[in-house]
């Protein structure tokens, strides 16, 4: 299956000493790797937002229509979806893709084999169950310097090969971008100025069996 991998991840912006908050990731940049790796934060709590900076009504107004309760949460959320084993068991329940429904089960050379409709359907369902690549979602805590701080992040099930013969694995082929607020400080020590700024966070939205 050929697909164009359209992914992006947060770029790493290192500010000069005295110029602002170090270790800061702010803007998306092209990448072949999703999900986004954990962000390395400055350990000094002075760079954390204070209680008065975390007013939910104010932050919801600032984020506006970008707030997506399906992919972000203010409080600790429950489980996102099925485990890897449950997702793998549910592969056969997904609808067969059109390219698989058109698949010819007879060999290109040699005698033509007669395959009944029932047998053909079972073979195609087995192939689809073997090659199906669901997106597995889990909630991730981005920390107090993001709002909302919880994001529902997608991963591709890659516990075993998804092809016959083996060699191909489930990999991300599509992504969507969600906008969050990021607590950003400029300046140094008592002279620093901090505020919430919008940042984009890429998420895996589709996985496929590929090389």
């Amino acid at each position: 299956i050929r697909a164009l991998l359209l992914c992006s991840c947060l770029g790493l912006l290192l500010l000069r000493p005295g110029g602002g908050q170090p270790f800061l990731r702010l803007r998306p940049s092209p990448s072949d790797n999703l999900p986004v790796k954990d962000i390395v934060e400055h350990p000094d709590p002075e760079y954390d937002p204070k209680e008065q900076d975390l007013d939910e009504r104010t932050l919801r107004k600032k984020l506006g229509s970008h707030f997506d309760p399906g992919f972000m949460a203010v409080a600790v959320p429950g489980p996102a979806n099925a485990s890897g084993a449950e997702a793998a068991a549910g592969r056969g329940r997904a609808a067969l893709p059109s390219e698989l429904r058109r698949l010819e089960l007879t060999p290109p050379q040699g005698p033509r084999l007669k395959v009944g409709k029932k047998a053909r359907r079972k073979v195609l369902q087995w192939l689809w169950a073997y090659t199906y690549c669901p997106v597995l979602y889990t909630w991730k805590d981005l920390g107090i310097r993001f709002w909302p701080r919880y994001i529902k992040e997608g991963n591709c099930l890659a516990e075993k090969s998804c092809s016959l013969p083996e060699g191909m694995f489930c990999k991300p082929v599509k992504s969507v971008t969600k906008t969050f607020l990021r607590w950003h400080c400029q300046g140094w020590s008592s002279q620093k100025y901090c505020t919430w700024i919008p940042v984009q966070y890429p998420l895996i939205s589709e996985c496929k069996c590929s090389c």
Side-chain angles (χ1 to χ4, degrees):
I1 299 175
R2 296 180 180 179
L4 180 63
L5 184 62
L6 299 176
C7 305
S8 57
C9 75
L10 293 176
L12 179 63
L13 180 63
L14 296 178
L15 302 180
R16 300 175 185 174
Q21 182 177 349
F23 308 103
L24 184 64
R25 295 175 189 257
L26 287 179
R27 298 177 177 84
S29 61
S31 173
D32 290 333
N33 298 311
L34 280 181
V36 174
K37 294 182 179 179
D38 291 341
I39 296 173
V40 180
E41 297 277 17
H42 193 287
D44 191 342
E46 282 297 317
Y47 290 103
D48 292 345
K50 305 301 186 287
E51 184 177 353
Q52 63 268 24
D53 302 313
L54 295 169
D55 180 69
E56 183 175 344
R57 180 179 296 181
T58 301
L59 295 177
R60 276 185 179 267
K61 184 177 180 180
K62 188 175 183 67
L63 191 58
S65 61
H66 294 296
F67 185 85
D68 185 349
F71 285 90
M72 51 187 71
V74 178
V76 180
N81 68 356
S83 66
E86 290 171 333
R91 289 176 173 182
R93 294 194 294 269
L96 292 175
S98 58
E99 60 266 26
L100 193 58
R101 290 197 300 268
R102 294 192 300 265
L103 181 66
E104 291 291 338
L105 298 180
T106 56
Q109 296 179 350
R112 186 176 181 84
L113 300 176
K114 290 185 178 180
V115 181
K117 289 184 178 181
K118 187 175 181 180
R120 184 178 187 277
R121 183 173 62 252
K122 287 187 176 182
V123 171
L124 293 181
Q125 288 175 340
W126 179 84
L127 285 173
W128 180 224
Y130 195 90
T131 59
Y132 176 54
C133 292
V135 179
L136 302 179
Y137 288 101
T138 55
W139 285 103
K140 180 178 181 179
D141 185 356
L142 296 176
I144 197 172
R145 295 174 189 173
F146 279 87
W147 195 93
R149 67 180 291 171
Y150 297 97
I151 184 171
K152 191 167 73 171
E153 194 170 55
N155 287 270
C156 298
L157 185 65
E159 298 173 353
K160 64 181 185 66
S161 176
C162 56
S163 64
L164 292 172
E166 295 186 354
M168 300 172 69
F169 292 88
C170 293
K171 294 183 179 181
V173 292
K174 289 184 180 180
S175 66
V176 295
T177 300
K178 300 297 177 181
T179 299
F180 286 72
L181 297 178
R182 167 70 163 164
W183 186 248
H184 173 48
C185 296
Q186 291 182 311
W188 204 256
S189 188
S190 60
Q191 303 299 319
K192 69 179 181 297
Y193 168 76
C194 301
T195 188
W196 291 102
I197 61 173
V199 294
Q200 293 185 325
Y201 197 106
L203 299 169
I204 295 172
S205 60
E206 183 178 343
C207 304
K208 283 191 177 181
C209 189
S210 61
C211 297

